[in-house]
PDB file of all heavy atoms in Angstrom:
ATOM      1  N   GLY A 154     -42.858 -51.685  -7.618  1.00  0.00           N
ATOM      2  CA  GLY A 154     -43.762 -51.579  -8.742  1.00  0.00           C
ATOM      3  C   GLY A 154     -43.514 -52.770  -9.720  1.00  0.00           C
ATOM      4  O   GLY A 154     -42.749 -53.741  -9.402  1.00  0.00           O
ATOM      5  N   PHE A 155     -44.276 -52.626 -10.849  1.00  0.00           N
ATOM      6  CA  PHE A 155     -44.074 -53.685 -11.862  1.00  0.00           C
ATOM      7  C   PHE A 155     -42.756 -53.778 -12.453  1.00  0.00           C
ATOM      8  O   PHE A 155     -41.963 -52.779 -12.372  1.00  0.00           O
ATOM      9  CB  PHE A 155     -45.067 -53.517 -12.975  1.00  0.00           C
ATOM     10  CG  PHE A 155     -46.516 -53.469 -12.524  1.00  0.00           C
ATOM     11  CD1 PHE A 155     -47.469 -52.875 -13.411  1.00  0.00           C
ATOM     12  CD2 PHE A 155     -47.005 -53.941 -11.407  1.00  0.00           C
ATOM     13  CE1 PHE A 155     -48.736 -52.828 -12.972  1.00  0.00           C
ATOM     14  CE2 PHE A 155     -48.284 -53.957 -10.923  1.00  0.00           C
ATOM     15  CZ  PHE A 155     -49.194 -53.270 -11.714  1.00  0.00           C
ATOM     16  N   GLU A 156     -42.339 -54.958 -12.901  1.00  0.00           N
ATOM     17  CA  GLU A 156     -40.978 -55.057 -13.584  1.00  0.00           C
ATOM     18  C   GLU A 156     -40.946 -54.038 -14.779  1.00  0.00           C
ATOM     19  O   GLU A 156     -41.955 -53.816 -15.501  1.00  0.00           O
ATOM     20  CB  GLU A 156     -40.763 -56.520 -14.111  1.00  0.00           C
ATOM     21  CG  GLU A 156     -41.732 -57.032 -15.089  1.00  0.00           C
ATOM     22  CD  GLU A 156     -41.384 -58.363 -15.567  1.00  0.00           C
ATOM     23  OE1 GLU A 156     -40.215 -58.648 -15.787  1.00  0.00           O
ATOM     24  OE2 GLU A 156     -42.382 -59.276 -15.570  1.00  0.00           O
ATOM     25  N   SER A 157     -39.618 -53.608 -15.168  1.00  0.00           N
ATOM     26  CA  SER A 157     -39.552 -52.569 -16.012  1.00  0.00           C
ATOM     27  C   SER A 157     -39.399 -53.166 -17.464  1.00  0.00           C
ATOM     28  O   SER A 157     -39.718 -52.503 -18.481  1.00  0.00           O
ATOM     29  CB  SER A 157     -38.325 -51.708 -15.782  1.00  0.00           C
ATOM     30  OG  SER A 157     -37.146 -52.467 -15.700  1.00  0.00           O
ATOM     31  N   HIS A 158     -38.994 -54.353 -17.596  1.00  0.00           N
ATOM     32  CA  HIS A 158     -38.929 -55.010 -18.910  1.00  0.00           C
ATOM     33  C   HIS A 158     -39.884 -56.223 -18.857  1.00  0.00           C
ATOM     34  O   HIS A 158     -39.806 -57.083 -18.033  1.00  0.00           O
ATOM     35  CB  HIS A 158     -37.473 -55.528 -19.226  1.00  0.00           C
ATOM     36  CG  HIS A 158     -36.501 -54.417 -19.146  1.00  0.00           C
ATOM     37  ND1 HIS A 158     -36.620 -53.360 -20.000  1.00  0.00           N
ATOM     38  CD2 HIS A 158     -35.343 -54.276 -18.521  1.00  0.00           C
ATOM     39  CE1 HIS A 158     -35.573 -52.584 -19.805  1.00  0.00           C
ATOM     40  NE2 HIS A 158     -34.839 -53.118 -18.980  1.00  0.00           N
ATOM     41  N   GLY A 159     -40.817 -56.209 -19.818  1.00  0.00           N
ATOM     42  CA  GLY A 159     -41.816 -57.164 -19.974  1.00  0.00           C
ATOM     43  C   GLY A 159     -41.366 -58.582 -20.042  1.00  0.00           C
ATOM     44  O   GLY A 159     -40.569 -58.948 -20.968  1.00  0.00           O
ATOM     45  N   GLY A 160     -41.659 -59.506 -19.089  1.00  0.00           N
ATOM     46  CA  GLY A 160     -41.299 -60.877 -19.204  1.00  0.00           C
ATOM     47  C   GLY A 160     -39.956 -61.180 -18.643  1.00  0.00           C
ATOM     48  O   GLY A 160     -39.505 -62.474 -18.701  1.00  0.00           O
ATOM     49  N   GLY A 161     -39.230 -60.271 -18.147  1.00  0.00           N
ATOM     50  CA  GLY A 161     -37.876 -60.448 -17.664  1.00  0.00           C
ATOM     51  C   GLY A 161     -37.751 -61.358 -16.526  1.00  0.00           C
ATOM     52  O   GLY A 161     -36.851 -62.190 -16.484  1.00  0.00           O
ATOM     53  N   LEU A 162     -38.668 -61.332 -15.538  1.00  0.00           N
ATOM     54  CA  LEU A 162     -38.650 -62.154 -14.484  1.00  0.00           C
ATOM     55  C   LEU A 162     -39.077 -63.541 -14.730  1.00  0.00           C
ATOM     56  O   LEU A 162     -38.495 -64.572 -14.141  1.00  0.00           O
ATOM     57  CB  LEU A 162     -39.554 -61.523 -13.249  1.00  0.00           C
ATOM     58  CG  LEU A 162     -39.062 -60.193 -12.720  1.00  0.00           C
ATOM     59  CD1 LEU A 162     -40.097 -59.537 -11.759  1.00  0.00           C
ATOM     60  CD2 LEU A 162     -37.629 -60.390 -11.902  1.00  0.00           C
ATOM     61  N   LEU A 163     -40.055 -63.701 -15.589  1.00  0.00           N
ATOM     62  CA  LEU A 163     -40.333 -65.081 -16.109  1.00  0.00           C
ATOM     63  C   LEU A 163     -39.217 -65.695 -16.733  1.00  0.00           C
ATOM     64  O   LEU A 163     -38.823 -66.828 -16.635  1.00  0.00           O
ATOM     65  CB  LEU A 163     -41.684 -64.974 -16.967  1.00  0.00           C
ATOM     66  CG  LEU A 163     -41.982 -66.334 -17.630  1.00  0.00           C
ATOM     67  CD1 LEU A 163     -42.309 -67.338 -16.711  1.00  0.00           C
ATOM     68  CD2 LEU A 163     -43.108 -66.063 -18.617  1.00  0.00           C
ATOM     69  N   ALA A 164     -38.521 -64.825 -17.515  1.00  0.00           N
ATOM     70  CA  ALA A 164     -37.234 -65.357 -18.267  1.00  0.00           C
ATOM     71  C   ALA A 164     -36.253 -65.845 -17.384  1.00  0.00           C
ATOM     72  O   ALA A 164     -35.627 -66.932 -17.581  1.00  0.00           O
ATOM     73  CB  ALA A 164     -36.745 -64.259 -19.202  1.00  0.00           C
ATOM     74  N   LEU A 165     -36.052 -65.088 -16.325  1.00  0.00           N
ATOM     75  CA  LEU A 165     -34.953 -65.577 -15.330  1.00  0.00           C
ATOM     76  C   LEU A 165     -35.306 -66.949 -14.799  1.00  0.00           C
ATOM     77  O   LEU A 165     -34.500 -67.794 -14.541  1.00  0.00           O
ATOM     78  CB  LEU A 165     -34.796 -64.551 -14.222  1.00  0.00           C
ATOM     79  CG  LEU A 165     -34.102 -63.147 -14.484  1.00  0.00           C
ATOM     80  CD1 LEU A 165     -34.069 -62.305 -13.291  1.00  0.00           C
ATOM     81  CD2 LEU A 165     -32.686 -63.553 -14.860  1.00  0.00           C
ATOM     82  N   LEU A 166     -36.552 -67.079 -14.360  1.00  0.00           N
ATOM     83  CA  LEU A 166     -36.941 -68.361 -13.789  1.00  0.00           C
ATOM     84  C   LEU A 166     -36.793 -69.540 -14.870  1.00  0.00           C
ATOM     85  O   LEU A 166     -36.311 -70.614 -14.521  1.00  0.00           O
ATOM     86  CB  LEU A 166     -38.429 -68.386 -13.368  1.00  0.00           C
ATOM     87  CG  LEU A 166     -38.665 -67.628 -12.084  1.00  0.00           C
ATOM     88  CD1 LEU A 166     -40.133 -67.379 -11.781  1.00  0.00           C
ATOM     89  CD2 LEU A 166     -37.988 -68.375 -10.854  1.00  0.00           C
ATOM     90  N   LEU A 167     -37.224 -69.290 -16.088  1.00  0.00           N
ATOM     91  CA  LEU A 167     -37.138 -70.298 -17.050  1.00  0.00           C
ATOM     92  C   LEU A 167     -35.652 -70.783 -17.502  1.00  0.00           C
ATOM     93  O   LEU A 167     -35.316 -71.750 -17.743  1.00  0.00           O
ATOM     94  CB  LEU A 167     -37.847 -70.031 -18.330  1.00  0.00           C
ATOM     95  CG  LEU A 167     -39.340 -69.923 -18.280  1.00  0.00           C
ATOM     96  CD1 LEU A 167     -40.038 -69.282 -19.454  1.00  0.00           C
ATOM     97  CD2 LEU A 167     -39.873 -71.388 -18.049  1.00  0.00           C
ATOM     98  N   GLU A 168     -34.755 -69.680 -17.328  1.00  0.00           N
ATOM     99  CA  GLU A 168     -33.378 -69.877 -17.709  1.00  0.00           C
ATOM    100  C   GLU A 168     -32.465 -70.346 -16.646  1.00  0.00           C
ATOM    101  O   GLU A 168     -31.568 -71.063 -16.784  1.00  0.00           O
ATOM    102  CB  GLU A 168     -32.840 -68.602 -18.243  1.00  0.00           C
ATOM    103  CG  GLU A 168     -33.500 -68.179 -19.662  1.00  0.00           C
ATOM    104  CD  GLU A 168     -32.970 -66.908 -20.153  1.00  0.00           C
ATOM    105  OE1 GLU A 168     -32.199 -66.232 -19.363  1.00  0.00           O
ATOM    106  OE2 GLU A 168     -33.413 -66.480 -21.128  1.00  0.00           O
ATOM    107  N   LEU A 169     -32.768 -69.846 -15.350  1.00  0.00           N
ATOM    108  CA  LEU A 169     -31.855 -70.081 -14.278  1.00  0.00           C
ATOM    109  C   LEU A 169     -32.317 -71.079 -13.151  1.00  0.00           C
ATOM    110  O   LEU A 169     -31.549 -71.535 -12.402  1.00  0.00           O
ATOM    111  CB  LEU A 169     -31.476 -68.685 -13.619  1.00  0.00           C
ATOM    112  CG  LEU A 169     -30.879 -67.668 -14.480  1.00  0.00           C
ATOM    113  CD1 LEU A 169     -30.562 -66.402 -13.698  1.00  0.00           C
ATOM    114  CD2 LEU A 169     -29.477 -68.238 -15.101  1.00  0.00           C
ATOM    115  N   TRP A 170     -33.618 -71.139 -12.994  1.00  0.00           N
ATOM    116  CA  TRP A 170     -34.216 -72.020 -11.965  1.00  0.00           C
ATOM    117  C   TRP A 170     -33.920 -73.403 -12.205  1.00  0.00           C
ATOM    118  O   TRP A 170     -34.111 -73.790 -13.413  1.00  0.00           O
ATOM    119  CB  TRP A 170     -35.585 -71.727 -11.655  1.00  0.00           C
ATOM    120  CG  TRP A 170     -36.261 -72.394 -10.542  1.00  0.00           C
ATOM    121  CD1 TRP A 170     -35.731 -72.842  -9.393  1.00  0.00           C
ATOM    122  CD2 TRP A 170     -37.654 -72.841 -10.560  1.00  0.00           C
ATOM    123  NE1 TRP A 170     -36.562 -73.400  -8.625  1.00  0.00           N
ATOM    124  CE2 TRP A 170     -37.841 -73.475  -9.316  1.00  0.00           C
ATOM    125  CE3 TRP A 170     -38.718 -72.801 -11.395  1.00  0.00           C
ATOM    126  CZ2 TRP A 170     -39.027 -74.000  -8.840  1.00  0.00           C
ATOM    127  CZ3 TRP A 170     -39.925 -73.366 -11.102  1.00  0.00           C
ATOM    128  CH2 TRP A 170     -40.188 -74.005  -9.775  1.00  0.00           C
ATOM    129  N   ARG A 171     -33.530 -74.177 -11.253  1.00  0.00           N
ATOM    130  CA  ARG A 171     -33.265 -75.658 -11.521  1.00  0.00           C
ATOM    131  C   ARG A 171     -34.073 -76.450 -10.400  1.00  0.00           C
ATOM    132  O   ARG A 171     -33.480 -76.980  -9.541  1.00  0.00           O
ATOM    133  CB  ARG A 171     -31.771 -75.846 -11.411  1.00  0.00           C
ATOM    134  CG  ARG A 171     -30.965 -75.403 -12.544  1.00  0.00           C
ATOM    135  CD  ARG A 171     -31.272 -76.058 -13.822  1.00  0.00           C
ATOM    136  NE  ARG A 171     -30.569 -75.388 -14.971  1.00  0.00           N
ATOM    137  CZ  ARG A 171     -31.083 -74.464 -15.662  1.00  0.00           C
ATOM    138  NH1 ARG A 171     -32.138 -73.858 -15.466  1.00  0.00           N
ATOM    139  NH2 ARG A 171     -30.256 -73.973 -16.731  1.00  0.00           N
ATOM    140  N   PRO A 172     -35.335 -76.579 -10.542  1.00  0.00           N
ATOM    141  CA  PRO A 172     -36.182 -77.450  -9.639  1.00  0.00           C
ATOM    142  C   PRO A 172     -35.697 -78.886  -9.833  1.00  0.00           C
ATOM    143  O   PRO A 172     -35.556 -79.503 -10.891  1.00  0.00           O
ATOM    144  CB  PRO A 172     -37.587 -77.232 -10.136  1.00  0.00           C
ATOM    145  CG  PRO A 172     -37.517 -76.902 -11.565  1.00  0.00           C
ATOM    146  CD  PRO A 172     -36.233 -75.986 -11.661  1.00  0.00           C
ATOM    147  N   GLU A 173     -35.351 -79.476  -8.645  1.00  0.00           N
ATOM    148  CA  GLU A 173     -34.910 -80.946  -8.702  1.00  0.00           C
ATOM    149  C   GLU A 173     -33.679 -81.019  -9.520  1.00  0.00           C
ATOM    150  O   GLU A 173     -33.500 -82.150 -10.057  1.00  0.00           O
ATOM    151  CB  GLU A 173     -36.091 -81.859  -9.112  1.00  0.00           C
ATOM    152  CG  GLU A 173     -37.281 -81.748  -8.116  1.00  0.00           C
ATOM    153  CD  GLU A 173     -38.368 -82.579  -8.703  1.00  0.00           C
ATOM    154  OE1 GLU A 173     -38.345 -83.115  -9.833  1.00  0.00           O
ATOM    155  OE2 GLU A 173     -39.485 -82.687  -8.022  1.00  0.00           O
ATOM    156  N   GLY A 174     -32.874 -79.975  -9.703  1.00  0.00           N
ATOM    157  CA  GLY A 174     -31.697 -80.130 -10.400  1.00  0.00           C
ATOM    158  C   GLY A 174     -31.753 -80.187 -11.928  1.00  0.00           C
ATOM    159  O   GLY A 174     -30.730 -80.344 -12.657  1.00  0.00           O
ATOM    160  N   ARG A 175     -32.972 -79.884 -12.375  1.00  0.00           N
ATOM    161  CA  ARG A 175     -33.185 -79.898 -13.898  1.00  0.00           C
ATOM    162  C   ARG A 175     -33.674 -78.553 -14.448  1.00  0.00           C
ATOM    163  O   ARG A 175     -33.974 -77.615 -13.539  1.00  0.00           O
ATOM    164  CB  ARG A 175     -34.200 -80.920 -14.241  1.00  0.00           C
ATOM    165  CG  ARG A 175     -35.541 -80.694 -13.695  1.00  0.00           C
ATOM    166  CD  ARG A 175     -36.710 -81.493 -14.131  1.00  0.00           C
ATOM    167  NE  ARG A 175     -37.874 -81.368 -13.419  1.00  0.00           N
ATOM    168  CZ  ARG A 175     -38.734 -80.335 -13.421  1.00  0.00           C
ATOM    169  NH1 ARG A 175     -38.330 -79.285 -14.261  1.00  0.00           N
ATOM    170  NH2 ARG A 175     -39.871 -80.251 -12.630  1.00  0.00           N
ATOM    171  N   ALA A 176     -33.671 -78.299 -15.741  1.00  0.00           N
ATOM    172  CA  ALA A 176     -34.067 -77.060 -16.226  1.00  0.00           C
ATOM    173  C   ALA A 176     -35.550 -76.813 -15.930  1.00  0.00           C
ATOM    174  O   ALA A 176     -36.404 -77.812 -16.015  1.00  0.00           O
ATOM    175  CB  ALA A 176     -33.853 -76.965 -17.724  1.00  0.00           C
ATOM    176  N   ALA A 177     -35.918 -75.571 -15.664  1.00  0.00           N
ATOM    177  CA  ALA A 177     -37.332 -75.313 -15.440  1.00  0.00           C
ATOM    178  C   ALA A 177     -38.176 -75.486 -16.613  1.00  0.00           C
ATOM    179  O   ALA A 177     -37.716 -75.229 -17.707  1.00  0.00           O
ATOM    180  CB  ALA A 177     -37.487 -73.859 -14.819  1.00  0.00           C
ATOM    181  N   LYS A 178     -39.569 -75.813 -16.378  1.00  0.00           N
ATOM    182  CA  LYS A 178     -40.476 -75.946 -17.456  1.00  0.00           C
ATOM    183  C   LYS A 178     -41.696 -75.077 -17.153  1.00  0.00           C
ATOM    184  O   LYS A 178     -41.894 -74.720 -16.020  1.00  0.00           O
ATOM    185  CB  LYS A 178     -40.913 -77.371 -17.617  1.00  0.00           C
ATOM    186  CG  LYS A 178     -39.777 -78.428 -17.843  1.00  0.00           C
ATOM    187  CD  LYS A 178     -40.256 -79.697 -17.887  1.00  0.00           C
ATOM    188  CE  LYS A 178     -39.090 -80.761 -18.077  1.00  0.00           C
ATOM    189  NZ  LYS A 178     -39.650 -82.270 -18.086  1.00  0.00           N
ATOM    190  N   LEU A 179     -42.473 -74.828 -18.135  1.00  0.00           N
ATOM    191  CA  LEU A 179     -43.624 -74.021 -17.882  1.00  0.00           C
ATOM    192  C   LEU A 179     -44.615 -74.623 -16.919  1.00  0.00           C
ATOM    193  O   LEU A 179     -45.320 -73.967 -16.273  1.00  0.00           O
ATOM    194  CB  LEU A 179     -44.384 -73.679 -19.269  1.00  0.00           C
ATOM    195  CG  LEU A 179     -43.742 -72.782 -20.242  1.00  0.00           C
ATOM    196  CD1 LEU A 179     -44.496 -72.636 -21.516  1.00  0.00           C
ATOM    197  CD2 LEU A 179     -43.608 -71.301 -19.529  1.00  0.00           C
ATOM    198  N   GLY A 180     -44.664 -75.908 -16.856  1.00  0.00           N
ATOM    199  CA  GLY A 180     -45.484 -76.561 -15.883  1.00  0.00           C
ATOM    200  C   GLY A 180     -45.072 -76.569 -14.495  1.00  0.00           C
ATOM    201  O   GLY A 180     -45.855 -76.986 -13.535  1.00  0.00           O
ATOM    202  N   ASP A 181     -43.856 -76.134 -14.118  1.00  0.00           N
ATOM    203  CA  ASP A 181     -43.252 -76.066 -12.831  1.00  0.00           C
ATOM    204  C   ASP A 181     -44.104 -74.944 -11.985  1.00  0.00           C
ATOM    205  O   ASP A 181     -44.340 -73.875 -12.500  1.00  0.00           O
ATOM    206  CB  ASP A 181     -41.774 -75.906 -12.716  1.00  0.00           C
ATOM    207  CG  ASP A 181     -41.025 -77.065 -13.299  1.00  0.00           C
ATOM    208  OD1 ASP A 181     -41.516 -78.184 -12.961  1.00  0.00           O
ATOM    209  OD2 ASP A 181     -40.014 -76.930 -13.969  1.00  0.00           O
ATOM    210  N   ARG A 182     -44.257 -75.265 -10.709  1.00  0.00           N
ATOM    211  CA  ARG A 182     -44.803 -74.213  -9.845  1.00  0.00           C
ATOM    212  C   ARG A 182     -43.737 -73.625  -8.972  1.00  0.00           C
ATOM    213  O   ARG A 182     -42.868 -74.259  -8.307  1.00  0.00           O
ATOM    214  CB  ARG A 182     -45.999 -74.914  -8.939  1.00  0.00           C
ATOM    215  CG  ARG A 182     -47.020 -75.638  -9.735  1.00  0.00           C
ATOM    216  CD  ARG A 182     -47.894 -76.412  -8.827  1.00  0.00           C
ATOM    217  NE  ARG A 182     -48.721 -75.504  -7.958  1.00  0.00           N
ATOM    218  CZ  ARG A 182     -49.854 -74.990  -8.236  1.00  0.00           C
ATOM    219  NH1 ARG A 182     -50.409 -75.209  -9.523  1.00  0.00           N
ATOM    220  NH2 ARG A 182     -50.502 -74.296  -7.386  1.00  0.00           N
ATOM    221  N   PHE A 183     -43.818 -72.257  -8.882  1.00  0.00           N
ATOM    222  CA  PHE A 183     -42.795 -71.448  -8.144  1.00  0.00           C
ATOM    223  C   PHE A 183     -43.526 -70.792  -6.957  1.00  0.00           C
ATOM    224  O   PHE A 183     -44.522 -70.225  -7.196  1.00  0.00           O
ATOM    225  CB  PHE A 183     -42.128 -70.504  -8.989  1.00  0.00           C
ATOM    226  CG  PHE A 183     -40.956 -69.887  -8.259  1.00  0.00           C
ATOM    227  CD1 PHE A 183     -39.760 -70.428  -8.221  1.00  0.00           C
ATOM    228  CD2 PHE A 183     -41.055 -68.613  -7.709  1.00  0.00           C
ATOM    229  CE1 PHE A 183     -38.652 -69.839  -7.669  1.00  0.00           C
ATOM    230  CE2 PHE A 183     -39.998 -68.066  -7.066  1.00  0.00           C
ATOM    231  CZ  PHE A 183     -38.843 -68.702  -6.982  1.00  0.00           C
ATOM    232  N   ALA A 184     -42.867 -70.754  -5.835  1.00  0.00           N
ATOM    233  CA  ALA A 184     -43.457 -70.188  -4.609  1.00  0.00           C
ATOM    234  C   ALA A 184     -42.966 -68.760  -4.530  1.00  0.00           C
ATOM    235  O   ALA A 184     -41.684 -68.583  -4.377  1.00  0.00           O
ATOM    236  CB  ALA A 184     -43.004 -70.967  -3.402  1.00  0.00           C
ATOM    237  N   PHE A 185     -43.809 -67.830  -4.662  1.00  0.00           N
ATOM    238  CA  PHE A 185     -43.410 -66.370  -4.581  1.00  0.00           C
ATOM    239  C   PHE A 185     -43.546 -65.979  -3.151  1.00  0.00           C
ATOM    240  O   PHE A 185     -44.758 -65.583  -2.731  1.00  0.00           O
ATOM    241  CB  PHE A 185     -44.237 -65.480  -5.558  1.00  0.00           C
ATOM    242  CG  PHE A 185     -43.890 -65.763  -7.046  1.00  0.00           C
ATOM    243  CD1 PHE A 185     -44.644 -66.694  -7.750  1.00  0.00           C
ATOM    244  CD2 PHE A 185     -42.887 -65.123  -7.603  1.00  0.00           C
ATOM    245  CE1 PHE A 185     -44.386 -66.942  -9.086  1.00  0.00           C
ATOM    246  CE2 PHE A 185     -42.599 -65.313  -8.989  1.00  0.00           C
ATOM    247  CZ  PHE A 185     -43.341 -66.243  -9.696  1.00  0.00           C
ATOM    248  N   GLU A 186     -42.590 -66.014  -2.309  1.00  0.00           N
ATOM    249  CA  GLU A 186     -42.708 -65.806  -0.916  1.00  0.00           C
ATOM    250  C   GLU A 186     -43.286 -64.367  -0.496  1.00  0.00           C
ATOM    251  O   GLU A 186     -44.064 -64.385   0.400  1.00  0.00           O
ATOM    252  CB  GLU A 186     -41.386 -66.007  -0.209  1.00  0.00           C
ATOM    253  CG  GLU A 186     -40.967 -67.522  -0.397  1.00  0.00           C
ATOM    254  CD  GLU A 186     -39.585 -67.727   0.314  1.00  0.00           C
ATOM    255  OE1 GLU A 186     -39.276 -66.926   1.209  1.00  0.00           O
ATOM    256  OE2 GLU A 186     -38.900 -68.671  -0.002  1.00  0.00           O
ATOM    257  N   ALA A 187     -42.842 -63.448  -1.314  1.00  0.00           N
ATOM    258  CA  ALA A 187     -43.332 -62.011  -0.950  1.00  0.00           C
ATOM    259  C   ALA A 187     -44.789 -61.877  -1.088  1.00  0.00           C
ATOM    260  O   ALA A 187     -45.412 -61.030  -0.460  1.00  0.00           O
ATOM    261  CB  ALA A 187     -42.543 -61.063  -1.842  1.00  0.00           C
ATOM    262  N   SER A 188     -45.491 -62.722  -1.883  1.00  0.00           N
ATOM    263  CA  SER A 188     -46.917 -62.664  -2.038  1.00  0.00           C
ATOM    264  C   SER A 188     -47.650 -63.897  -1.437  1.00  0.00           C
ATOM    265  O   SER A 188     -48.846 -63.788  -1.406  1.00  0.00           O
ATOM    266  CB  SER A 188     -47.176 -62.499  -3.495  1.00  0.00           C
ATOM    267  OG  SER A 188     -46.839 -61.429  -4.084  1.00  0.00           O
ATOM    268  N   GLY A 189     -46.892 -64.895  -0.962  1.00  0.00           N
ATOM    269  CA  GLY A 189     -47.593 -66.003  -0.422  1.00  0.00           C
ATOM    270  C   GLY A 189     -48.306 -66.822  -1.553  1.00  0.00           C
ATOM    271  O   GLY A 189     -49.253 -67.482  -1.283  1.00  0.00           O
ATOM    272  N   ALA A 190     -47.825 -66.733  -2.845  1.00  0.00           N
ATOM    273  CA  ALA A 190     -48.529 -67.321  -3.909  1.00  0.00           C
ATOM    274  C   ALA A 190     -47.669 -68.363  -4.565  1.00  0.00           C
ATOM    275  O   ALA A 190     -46.396 -68.226  -4.660  1.00  0.00           O
ATOM    276  CB  ALA A 190     -48.868 -66.266  -4.977  1.00  0.00           C
ATOM    277  N   ILE A 191     -48.264 -69.526  -4.893  1.00  0.00           N
ATOM    278  CA  ILE A 191     -47.583 -70.613  -5.647  1.00  0.00           C
ATOM    279  C   ILE A 191     -48.257 -70.716  -6.968  1.00  0.00           C
ATOM    280  O   ILE A 191     -49.458 -71.126  -7.099  1.00  0.00           O
ATOM    281  CB  ILE A 191     -47.554 -71.947  -4.840  1.00  0.00           C
ATOM    282  CG1 ILE A 191     -46.939 -71.758  -3.426  1.00  0.00           C
ATOM    283  CG2 ILE A 191     -46.909 -72.968  -5.614  1.00  0.00           C
ATOM    284  CD1 ILE A 191     -47.137 -72.925  -2.649  1.00  0.00           C
ATOM    285  N   LEU A 192     -47.445 -70.409  -7.983  1.00  0.00           N
ATOM    286  CA  LEU A 192     -48.151 -70.323  -9.383  1.00  0.00           C
ATOM    287  C   LEU A 192     -47.324 -71.302 -10.305  1.00  0.00           C
ATOM    288  O   LEU A 192     -46.085 -71.325 -10.195  1.00  0.00           O
ATOM    289  CB  LEU A 192     -48.117 -68.909  -9.943  1.00  0.00           C
ATOM    290  CG  LEU A 192     -48.918 -67.951  -9.123  1.00  0.00           C
ATOM    291  CD1 LEU A 192     -48.591 -66.519  -9.760  1.00  0.00           C
ATOM    292  CD2 LEU A 192     -50.402 -68.347  -9.262  1.00  0.00           C
ATOM    293  N   PRO A 193     -47.951 -71.933 -11.248  1.00  0.00           N
ATOM    294  CA  PRO A 193     -47.203 -72.591 -12.404  1.00  0.00           C
ATOM    295  C   PRO A 193     -46.748 -71.485 -13.249  1.00  0.00           C
ATOM    296  O   PRO A 193     -47.413 -70.470 -13.524  1.00  0.00           O
ATOM    297  CB  PRO A 193     -48.301 -73.432 -13.134  1.00  0.00           C
ATOM    298  CG  PRO A 193     -49.586 -72.693 -12.759  1.00  0.00           C
ATOM    299  CD  PRO A 193     -49.497 -72.167 -11.324  1.00  0.00           C
ATOM    300  N   LEU A 194     -45.442 -71.610 -13.789  1.00  0.00           N
ATOM    301  CA  LEU A 194     -45.007 -70.693 -14.739  1.00  0.00           C
ATOM    302  C   LEU A 194     -45.806 -70.570 -15.983  1.00  0.00           C
ATOM    303  O   LEU A 194     -45.907 -69.377 -16.528  1.00  0.00           O
ATOM    304  CB  LEU A 194     -43.620 -71.110 -15.139  1.00  0.00           C
ATOM    305  CG  LEU A 194     -42.584 -71.212 -13.995  1.00  0.00           C
ATOM    306  CD1 LEU A 194     -41.096 -71.382 -14.525  1.00  0.00           C
ATOM    307  CD2 LEU A 194     -42.539 -70.069 -13.006  1.00  0.00           C
ATOM    308  N   SER A 195     -46.609 -71.546 -16.260  1.00  0.00           N
ATOM    309  CA  SER A 195     -47.503 -71.463 -17.427  1.00  0.00           C
ATOM    310  C   SER A 195     -48.602 -70.429 -17.209  1.00  0.00           C
ATOM    311  O   SER A 195     -49.051 -69.806 -18.199  1.00  0.00           O
ATOM    312  CB  SER A 195     -48.141 -72.850 -17.723  1.00  0.00           C
ATOM    313  OG  SER A 195     -48.877 -73.301 -16.603  1.00  0.00           O
ATOM    314  N   ALA A 196     -49.009 -70.147 -15.994  1.00  0.00           N
ATOM    315  CA  ALA A 196     -50.000 -69.086 -15.790  1.00  0.00           C
ATOM    316  C   ALA A 196     -49.463 -67.774 -15.978  1.00  0.00           C
ATOM    317  O   ALA A 196     -50.154 -66.833 -16.651  1.00  0.00           O
ATOM    318  CB  ALA A 196     -50.512 -69.239 -14.264  1.00  0.00           C
ATOM    319  N   ILE A 197     -48.244 -67.554 -15.677  1.00  0.00           N
ATOM    320  CA  ILE A 197     -47.619 -66.195 -16.011  1.00  0.00           C
ATOM    321  C   ILE A 197     -47.398 -66.027 -17.437  1.00  0.00           C
ATOM    322  O   ILE A 197     -47.614 -65.071 -18.110  1.00  0.00           O
ATOM    323  CB  ILE A 197     -46.201 -66.071 -15.191  1.00  0.00           C
ATOM    324  CG1 ILE A 197     -46.433 -66.349 -13.713  1.00  0.00           C
ATOM    325  CG2 ILE A 197     -45.574 -64.685 -15.511  1.00  0.00           C
ATOM    326  CD1 ILE A 197     -45.187 -66.558 -12.954  1.00  0.00           C
ATOM    327  N   TYR A 198     -47.003 -67.169 -18.064  1.00  0.00           N
ATOM    328  CA  TYR A 198     -46.843 -67.222 -19.520  1.00  0.00           C
ATOM    329  C   TYR A 198     -48.128 -66.939 -20.265  1.00  0.00           C
ATOM    330  O   TYR A 198     -48.153 -66.051 -21.106  1.00  0.00           O
ATOM    331  CB  TYR A 198     -46.241 -68.546 -19.904  1.00  0.00           C
ATOM    332  CG  TYR A 198     -45.929 -68.764 -21.289  1.00  0.00           C
ATOM    333  CD1 TYR A 198     -44.693 -68.366 -21.865  1.00  0.00           C
ATOM    334  CD2 TYR A 198     -46.873 -69.458 -22.253  1.00  0.00           C
ATOM    335  CE1 TYR A 198     -44.423 -68.504 -23.305  1.00  0.00           C
ATOM    336  CE2 TYR A 198     -46.489 -69.661 -23.672  1.00  0.00           C
ATOM    337  CZ  TYR A 198     -45.384 -69.205 -24.055  1.00  0.00           C
ATOM    338  OH  TYR A 198     -44.987 -69.358 -25.375  1.00  0.00           O
ATOM    339  N   ALA A 199     -49.186 -67.470 -19.881  1.00  0.00           N
ATOM    340  CA  ALA A 199     -50.416 -67.203 -20.560  1.00  0.00           C
ATOM    341  C   ALA A 199     -50.883 -65.853 -20.293  1.00  0.00           C
ATOM    342  O   ALA A 199     -51.470 -65.131 -21.187  1.00  0.00           O
ATOM    343  CB  ALA A 199     -51.486 -68.225 -19.979  1.00  0.00           C
TER     344      ALA A 199
END
């Protein structure tokens, strides 16, 4: 089901993900393999 704390999964990506070895930004696109979706973090943020 849905995450139990609002925004927690987005927060993990913004804090812990290191695309190309740098801190993640809202403009970065992440591949959610379980759904076959590739989304910019900015879309989740919006």
Side-chain angles (χ1 to χ4, degrees):
F155 301 159
E156 61 178 314
S157 58
H158 298 306
L162 292 171
L163 174 61
L165 282 178
L166 286 171
L167 287 170
E168 294 175 357
L169 300 177
W170 185 31
R171 293 294 178 266
E173 301 176 353
R175 56 168 174 78
K178 302 175 182 178
L179 286 175
D181 290 322
R182 301 173 66 86
F183 188 83
F185 294 92
E186 296 181 20
S188 298
I191 301 176
L192 295 173
L194 302 188
S195 58
I197 304 168
Y198 182 80

